[in-house]
Amino acid sequence: MSKKVILSLSGGLDSTALLLHLLNKDYDEIYTISYFYGQKNKVELDGLARILFYLETVGHKIKNKRIDLSSVFNSFNSSLTSSDVDVPTGKTDESKMKMNFVPNRNAIFSSVLYGTAVSLTKSSDTEVDICLGVHTGDGNIIPPDCTPEFYEKLDEAFKIGNINSDKINYYLPYVDKKKYNIVEDAKSVCDKLGLNFEFIFKNSISCYNGTGCGKCGACNDRKLAFKKVNLKDPGE
């Protein structure tokens, strides 16, 4: 039986690193889905296009589908999507996490991924892994839709509510990792596969504002992750 994988791919640091991680695994095909949900950091999708083009030139053609969910999310209150709510600055704490949190985002993304996985199992005799670049962060503040418990319950519900679900599983290699572990993994895979780490992460844009502001939680977390592993951030 063949094995395929579907990844939620934003073009940010975490999901880009996870794509590289999957290239180093024994999958027959890698499918990726990228979402535009009205996020202020929509420029990350432009950077992602450059990353995917580069990977194709070195022999890694990735199937990528973009889905516009902006009409679904346009009434959700979050500093990442609401034009009248500013993205908070400084290191992420509980109050800032709550401001940045996009309601039900990962559940909605996962539902689309799972539906795609079910369709793949119906059309071919294949097992499918579902991947998201969720992780524990570098502090004690973990968004509720990034925890192992959330995905255990989500997987249970999806298995109950679908056919062929015995062939579908979550693969979340970063769910109990810190962001600096993700940077380490990406560098290791790039070295092993001969990929240009600097080019890839120069085009991977993490800023919540999409401007490289250097002040938001995403910018601060990324800066700290590279510093912890003694690497220069190519995006600086």
Side-chain angles (χ1 to χ4, degrees):
M1 183 182 294
S2 66
K3 191 163 189 178
K4 306 180 190 298
V5 62
I6 305 173
L7 166 66
S8 176
L9 181 62
S10 69
L13 187 152
D14 307 322
S15 64
T16 300
L18 185 50
L19 172 61
L20 301 177
H21 178 94
L22 297 176
L23 289 175
N24 196 36
K25 294 290 183 180
D26 189 26
Y27 288 107
D28 296 289
E29 289 184 286
I30 298 175
Y31 295 82
T32 62
I33 297 179
S34 302
Y35 302 99
F36 174 65
Y37 56 96
Q39 66 268 43
K40 294 173 181 175
N41 188 17
K42 56 184 177 290
V43 297
E44 68 185 353
L45 295 174
D46 298 328
L48 174 60
R50 293 189 290 272
I51 292 168
L52 293 176
F53 179 76
Y54 161 71
L55 289 174
E56 184 172 354
T57 65
V58 294
H60 299 285
K61 184 170 177 58
I62 307 299
K63 298 184 178 186
N64 180 251
K65 182 177 183 179
R66 290 194 181 187
I67 297 179
D68 189 335
L69 293 177
S70 56
S71 63
V72 176
F73 283 84
N74 64 10
S75 61
F76 292 8
N77 185 279
S78 167
S79 67
L80 306 193
T81 58
S82 304
S83 59
D84 57 343
V85 181
D86 291 334
V87 173
T89 60
K91 186 172 176 56
T92 301
D93 57 22
E94 187 171 1
S95 65
K96 292 170 187 174
M97 181 274 287
K98 289 180 177 179
M99 288 181 66
N100 293 333
F101 185 74
V102 182
N104 225 32
R105 177 178 58 178
N106 283 346
I108 293 169
F109 289 179
S110 291
S111 186
V112 175
L113 294 171
Y114 210 97
T116 305
V118 170
S119 298
L120 285 173
T121 64
K122 287 177 68 177
S123 62
S124 62
D125 186 24
T126 186
E127 294 181 351
V128 182
D129 282 347
I130 292 176
C131 297
L132 299 93
V134 293
H135 62 94
T136 63
D138 285 310
N140 297 318
I141 310 301
I142 305 173
D145 61 353
C146 292
T147 63
E149 295 79 11
F150 174 74
Y151 289 97
E152 288 167 8
K153 296 296 184 182
L154 203 58
D155 185 42
E156 181 181 354
F158 284 152
K159 285 190 183 306
I160 292 171
N162 281 286
I163 62 169
N164 293 347
S165 54
D166 59 309
K167 297 180 180 179
I168 302 169
N169 291 289
Y170 273 97
Y171 177 55
L172 307 171
Y174 298 151
V175 73
D176 58 351
K177 304 294 185 184
K178 303 290 188 182
K179 190 176 284 286
Y180 72 86
N181 298 130
I182 296 175
V183 174
E184 285 181 321
D185 186 52
K187 184 64 167 66
S188 175
V189 171
C190 284
D191 290 346
K192 182 176 180 179
L193 299 183
L195 300 175
N196 190 327
F197 178 85
E198 285 73 24
F199 178 86
I200 292 171
F201 288 98
K202 180 180 180 180
N203 286 285
S204 174
I205 302 165
S206 302
C207 177
Y208 287 148
N209 286 303
T211 60
C213 69
K215 298 177 180 179
C216 70
C219 284
N220 278 284
D221 291 347
R222 175 169 171 147
K223 186 184 302 182
L224 179 62
F226 276 89
K227 183 178 179 180
K228 280 191 173 182
V229 294
N230 296 313
L231 287 173
K232 176 177 172 53
D233 182 353
E236 287 187 342

